[in-house]
Amino acid sequence: MEVKMNYVIKPIALCEGIRDMSQWTYRWNIGKKVKSACYIWYIQGSDPVTIVDAGAQGEHYNKEFPTTSIFSLEQGLQSVGLKAEEIEQVIVTHLHFDHIALASKYKNATFIVQKRELEYACNPHVFNAVDYNREYFENLKFRIIDGDCEILPDVKVFLTPGHSPGGQSIQIETWRGKAIITGFCSQMSTFTQTPSMKEKGLEVAACGLHTDCREVYDSALKVKNMADIIVPLHDPMFIDIKSIP
């Protein structure tokens, strides 16, 4: 009988701000303001020691998106008993600045990224260029993968493009089933079908920032259908949640 790993995901909130809800629900909820948060995610029980995303602080955001730091990286990691130099792997959902800005802090880490994401981040379309900062990732030690891949026993990444060309979601086995950290910016509202959406035949929403709105819709629907627990990258509810599940 196969024995499943039972990991626990530890959300570490680093900063927060107010955003337009349509950023998570493209063409819906325009003008409605909601809190957003930026995290790193420690996979407790991982060996080698693994987190998802490198994180950012308030100062990494431009003035159009005012953001306040909650904890420093050092404080955040200390809350789960870690130091930056103890991190051995960072699974990068995508290379937008808010998911990679603090990468240089992890001196001993290998960064796992999709080939198509790294290629695009090095030469983005002018419309998306504001979301990438090559200085944050150009000198990192990468493990470059191309497509779906098992990273650890019962920890897998799979392509979920659309928000960016090479976004990857992370499927993690827990005692409550498959938890999926989304590879695209989202909140729980992205996955909540409202009556208005149902009328239009939409099962999920799409994030407002995308390279392909059809792809990011399909990616969100894929995550919704696969996951027992959805972990959207920017939902503020995880600020006060210490463990998933």
Side-chain angles (χ1 to χ4, degrees):
M1 181 178 176
E2 184 181 1
V3 178
K4 291 284 188 181
M5 300 293 290
N6 286 320
Y7 297 103
V8 174
I9 303 168
K10 295 286 190 176
I12 302 171
L14 296 181
C15 53
E16 63 183 355
I18 302 299
R19 303 288 183 265
D20 198 277
M21 191 173 176
S22 62
Q23 191 168 334
W24 323 115
T25 57
Y26 179 54
R27 302 178 73 179
W28 302 90
N29 303 301
I30 297 170
K32 184 175 181 179
K33 302 302 180 184
V34 295
K35 184 184 285 189
S36 172
C38 179
Y39 302 87
I40 57 177
W41 315 84
Y42 169 44
I43 305 177
Q44 188 177 64
S46 58
D47 183 13
V49 178
T50 302
I51 64 171
V52 175
D53 283 344
Q57 302 277 217
E59 63 264 25
H60 294 114
Y61 290 78
N62 60 37
K63 62 182 180 181
E64 286 80 16
F65 296 97
T67 303
T68 304
S69 293
I70 301 171
F71 295 113
S72 68
L73 176 64
E74 293 74 17
Q75 291 169 328
L77 288 172
Q78 187 179 36
S79 72
V80 295
L82 290 172
K83 298 178 181 179
E85 59 267 27
E86 295 174 327
I87 305 303
E88 297 173 273
Q89 290 190 140
V90 180
I91 303 173
V92 183
T93 57
H94 58 295
L95 284 166
H96 286 179
F97 72 92
D98 51 331
H99 300 272
I100 200 67
L102 296 174
S104 64
K105 300 274 192 178
Y106 307 94
K107 302 297 185 183
N108 299 312
T110 297
F111 293 79
I112 300 170
V113 67
Q114 289 287 333
K115 179 176 182 287
R116 66 192 71 181
E117 181 69 11
L118 183 57
E119 290 175 345
Y120 187 79
C122 290
N123 187 31
H125 187 281
V126 64
F127 187 76
N128 303 115
V130 68
D131 299 307
Y132 294 98
N133 187 331
R134 193 165 179 165
E135 292 181 5
Y136 295 153
F137 59 81
E138 63 181 351
N139 295 315
L140 300 180
K141 178 185 175 184
F142 281 117
R143 175 186 170 190
I144 300 171
I145 58 178
D146 190 8
D148 303 354
C149 182
E150 184 171 77
I151 305 301
L152 297 165
D154 294 320
V155 176
K156 302 173 183 178
V157 298
F158 59 95
L159 278 168
T160 44
H163 175 56
S164 65
Q168 57 182 353
S169 294
I170 300 90
Q171 177 182 301
I172 301 165
E173 196 69 37
T174 76
W175 66 269
R176 281 189 52 199
K178 293 178 177 64
I180 296 180
I181 301 174
T182 65
F184 47 90
C185 291
S186 57
Q187 293 195 351
M188 200 56 76
S189 57
T190 309
F191 302 94
T192 304
Q193 185 188 48
T194 66
S196 297
M197 289 166 61
K198 189 174 182 178
E199 281 183 15
K200 301 293 185 182
L202 298 172
E203 296 181 59
V204 293
C207 64
L209 175 63
H210 46 253
T211 54
D212 188 316
C213 63
R214 296 164 299 180
E215 279 191 334
V216 77
Y217 175 89
D218 290 345
S219 291
L221 185 59
K222 182 177 182 178
V223 168
K224 184 175 183 177
N225 288 336
M226 288 176 60
D228 299 303
I229 304 167
I230 299 174
V231 184
L233 284 184
H234 292 295
D235 201 294
M237 70 177 175
F238 299 114
I239 293 174
D240 298 317
I241 292 176
K242 303 303 182 185
S243 298
I244 307 168

